[in-house]
Amino acid sequence: MIEKLIITCALTGAEVTKAGNPAVPYTVAEMVASAREAVMAGASVLHIHARKDDGTPVQDPNRFAEILSAIHHECPSVILQVSTGGAVGMSRDERLGPLSLYPEMATLDCGTLNFGGDDIFVNTENDIIYFAKIMQEKNIAYELECFEKGHVDTVLRLVKKGLITQPLRFSFVLGVNGGMSGETRDFVFLKDSIPLNATFSVAGIGRYEFSLAEQAIKNGGHVRVGFEDNLYLEKGVLAKSNAELVKKVVEIALQFGREIATPDEARIILRMEK
Ligand code: KMH
Ligand code: ZN
């Protein structure tokens, strides 16, 4: 029996703006409204970035505390996954800010890559080891963000050294300008490179969002969608909400016989028992 599907919704990110799609949430109230709709549509994990009201990305623990507690109040069972990626150019300690809140889950970015133009998203090997150590000490479940095959290999090397520990929950983020592309062959290469007992989710950037969602659904993986990754419901049609993107994944999942996991079912699949 194929496992139920975990849908993560990445509500806002650090790079996308209201200029690209006016429905991108910035304020706490917008984040909560978007979260509620996405959860009602079928998301069991919310990937959280914080923005100021004017859209500036921040890793300020106070802003995260406001967002996390407001969402938790509306959606008490959903898994809240904070970003430790933040925005390009932030320092390592700034990025770690929200971990002071002991969130249930966080991202661990597993390598450096170009991020378009002059931007470089820096994650040195020592950064990865340092972030992993802190998350392990705080008992925070971490998801391994891999933007290309070298990042997967880095994880496997650090697992051998005992610096990244089980369970391994991969997230393949494909289609970033500077990372690995999101063609089916790219997905297959990554999926076949990880241990059989690891879980994986796929986040396709832009036009790759739904083609990769379908690949993940058909191959026993999980899916991330949301405005952080893609602003469009289909070519030329802006999504009206994060929930619309989640609903589209639910439809694809049902076509292929995958039921949707609740947050508690997601906790079991992801081995998040504390
Ligand atoms: N905003 C990107 C530079 C994460 O959330 O862990 C990094 C990012 C990854 O979004
Ligand atoms: Zn992110």
Side-chain angles (χ1 to χ4, degrees):
M1 220 333 241
I2 196 155
E3 238 163 20
K4 289 192 181 180
L5 178 74
I6 300 169
I7 303 176
T8 298
C9 187
L11 297 172
T12 190
E15 292 82 22
V16 291
T17 65
K18 284 185 189 292
N21 184 331
V24 171
Y26 293 165
T27 68
V28 176
E30 287 169 346
M31 287 292 282
V32 174
S34 205
R36 191 192 309 116
E37 290 174 5
V39 170
M40 281 173 58
S44 52
V45 181
L46 297 175
H47 172 71
I48 305 289
H49 285 256
R51 322 272 295 239
K52 290 194 206 166
D53 287 354
D54 67 3
T56 310
V58 285
Q59 290 293 97
D60 174 9
N62 296 322
R63 185 66 166 183
F64 266 93
E66 264 189 274
I67 294 168
L68 297 184
S69 76
I71 295 178
H72 181 71
H73 185 260
E74 289 293 317
C75 315
S77 63
V78 75
I79 298 169
L80 293 173
Q81 177 197 80
V82 305
S83 168
T84 65
V88 166
M90 288 178 174
S91 73
R92 163 160 119 165
D93 288 330
E94 185 179 6
R95 284 169 51 184
L96 287 166
L99 298 193
S100 63
L101 303 168
Y102 288 81
E104 185 173 14
M105 194 173 198
T107 55
L108 172 58
D109 292 283
C110 296
T112 295
L113 72 156
N114 281 340
F115 226 72
D118 288 326
D119 287 346
I120 302 175
F121 182 34
V122 176
N123 298 285
T124 66
E125 185 169 89
N126 285 345
D127 291 338
I128 301 164
I129 294 167
Y130 181 61
F131 279 41
K133 185 166 179 286
I134 291 176
M135 292 185 210
Q136 285 157 19
E137 283 168 1
K138 291 184 185 288
N139 200 18
I140 297 167
Y142 50 90
E143 183 179 82
L144 304 157
E145 312 294 302
C146 294
F147 296 77
E148 47 105 327
K149 173 66 161 52
H151 299 180
V152 173
D153 295 337
T154 299
V155 170
L156 299 178
R157 203 157 32 78
L158 295 180
V159 169
K160 270 197 192 140
K161 291 184 172 176
L163 297 169
I164 287 180
T165 51
Q166 302 283 344
L168 304 181
R169 312 174 188 95
F170 285 90
S171 170
F172 304 140
V173 185
L174 300 183
V176 170
N177 182 4
M180 196 163 170
S181 183
E183 302 300 330
T184 301
R185 66 173 182 272
D186 304 311
F187 160 76
V188 171
F189 186 32
L190 296 189
K191 165 184 82 67
D192 289 347
S193 301
I194 62 172
L196 285 175
N197 68 350
T199 57
F200 70 90
S201 178
V202 182
I205 304 300
R207 67 190 176 87
Y208 292 116
E209 184 156 84
F210 295 108
S211 55
L212 282 174
E214 182 175 322
Q215 288 301 326
I217 287 165
K218 290 198 287 200
N219 287 282
H222 304 283
V223 173
R224 177 174 116 176
V225 289
F227 284 146
E228 174 166 356
D229 303 333
N230 166 48
L231 301 172
Y232 291 87
L233 192 60
E234 58 189 76
K235 193 166 191 238
V237 180
L238 287 175
K240 292 194 187 68
S241 63
N242 274 301
E244 266 197 342
L245 301 169
V246 173
K247 280 183 197 152
K248 188 161 168 175
V249 175
V250 172
E251 281 165 22
I252 301 170
L254 298 180
Q255 272 173 36
F256 290 97
R258 288 283 299 268
E259 290 179 58
I260 309 303
T262 64
D264 280 340
E265 289 167 339
R267 285 184 178 91
I268 293 169
I269 295 167
L270 296 173
R271 295 168 53 197
M272 287 176 62
E273 61 278 3
K274 291 224 163 182

